Amino acid sequence: MTGVQTERTMLDLLLARYNTERQGTIADRWVRAEHVRSSQGVWEPLSIADFIAIDKYASSQAIHGHEVKVSRSDWLTELRDPTKAERIKRFCHRWWLVVPDAKIVKPGELPEGWGLMVKSGNLLRAKNRAPKLEPEPLTLDFVAGLTAAVQRTAMREPLHRDARTISTWNERHGSRQLCQGCGELAPCQLHQPRAVKKEAA
């Protein structure tokens, strides 16, 4: 592992991993949400999933939950309270632990039903594939928190990285570069602020 890895570093890698647009369109396969609460009630036991990705493809629709741990002590704290993750894991088809270094997790420590993703260069790779789970039906309370997190994540994503640029062509306009986030001409002020700044320099 090179350098100190932060939760933000790992969340940015998850945002990149779950980002797959169809060629020539602005359609994205994934819905992404950071910091999803298990409950909106102030008196309920609370857990927060660091990242949830929802696969929209009809043939593979699934909710993937992720716990990010950047240190050994972080992980040991998680292991001391197995009920914490279950508050959200019970709604997911797959559940992943995401770490910058495989050494954070000792052999035999990964709980049943968990997969493991490890940072490899600028990517995340599945070291242990998460098994398919049988999720419980979503509660309205959880859906409210999930959709709120999706909205926050979509608004904040440009703070961490620019949306991708995609190429399109038609007879009227010819070849054009569009922002994946909104379909407007690239670079887009809202979703590609770094590219806008670079172009203006």
Side-chain angles (χ1 to χ4, degrees), residues 111-184:
E112 184 178 353
W114 290 52
L116 178 64
M117 282 188 201
V118 180
K119 184 178 184 295
S120 176
N122 293 321
L123 300 172
L124 289 171
R125 300 197 184 278
K127 180 171 179 164
N128 296 85
R129 181 169 171 76
K132 189 170 183 182
L133 307 172
E134 294 295 330
E136 297 178 15
L138 302 183
T139 63
L140 182 56
D141 186 42
F142 179 68
V143 170
L146 175 60
T147 53
V150 169
Q151 184 181 40
R152 287 193 306 270
T153 302
M155 291 177 65
R156 294 172 180 170
E157 193 168 344
L159 296 175
H160 308 299
R161 65 191 193 95
D162 282 1
R164 296 180 183 181
T165 296
I166 58 174
S167 299
T168 65
W169 186 91
N170 62 43
E171 292 184 2
R172 181 178 177 185
H173 299 291
S175 177
R176 297 198 302 173
Q177 301 294 308
L178 304 180
C179 167
Q180 180 202 352
C182 62
E184 297 297 321

Side-chain angles (χ1 to χ4, degrees), residues 5 11 15:
Q5 306 299 317
L11 289 174
L15 286 171

Side-chain angles (χ1 to χ4, degrees), residues 8-171:
R8 183 68 257 163
T9 302
M10 304 306 290
L11 289 174
D12 287 347
L13 291 175
L14 284 165
L15 286 171
R17 178 181 176 89
Y18 294 104
N19 191 311
T20 311
E21 75 276 4
R22 282 182 284 177
Q23 186 65 33
T25 78
I26 61 168
D28 196 333
R29 173 176 176 173
W30 299 95
V31 176
R32 297 172 291 279
E34 297 179 359
H35 301 138
V36 180
R37 294 166 59 96
S38 60
S39 173
Q40 310 316 298
V42 294
W43 304 114
E44 299 291 328
L46 178 66
S47 294
I48 298 176
D50 293 313
F51 193 90
I52 285 182
I54 304 173
D55 189 345
K56 298 187 297 183
Y57 277 18
S59 60
S60 56
Q61 283 179 346
I63 299 175
H64 294 250
H66 305 76
E67 277 292 320
V68 173
K69 301 299 173 191
V70 296
S71 70
R72 174 76 179 155
S73 59
D74 245 4
W75 173 233
L76 291 177
T77 299
E78 180 75 24
L79 284 178
R80 282 194 285 271
D81 185 6
T83 64
K84 179 173 168 284
E86 285 299 323
R87 296 187 189 115
I88 297 179
K89 178 175 174 277
R90 64 194 177 106
F91 296 126
C92 297
H93 297 84
R94 298 189 191 274
W95 189 258
W96 299 89
L97 173 64
V98 184
V99 297
D101 189 332
K103 293 177 183 176
I104 287 173
V105 185
K106 301 298 183 186
E109 284 185 345
L110 201 63
E112 184 178 353
W114 290 52
L116 178 64
M117 282 188 201
V118 180
K119 184 178 184 295
S120 176
N122 293 321
L123 300 172
L124 289 171
R125 300 197 184 278
K127 180 171 179 164
N128 296 85
R129 181 169 171 76
K132 189 170 183 182
L133 307 172
E134 294 295 330
E136 297 178 15
L138 302 183
T139 63
L140 182 56
D141 186 42
F142 179 68
V143 170
L146 175 60
T147 53
V150 169
Q151 184 181 40
R152 287 193 306 270
T153 302
M155 291 177 65
R156 294 172 180 170
E157 193 168 344
L159 296 175
H160 308 299
R161 65 191 193 95
D162 282 1
R164 296 180 183 181
T165 296
I166 58 174
S167 299
T168 65
W169 186 91
N170 62 43
E171 292 184 2

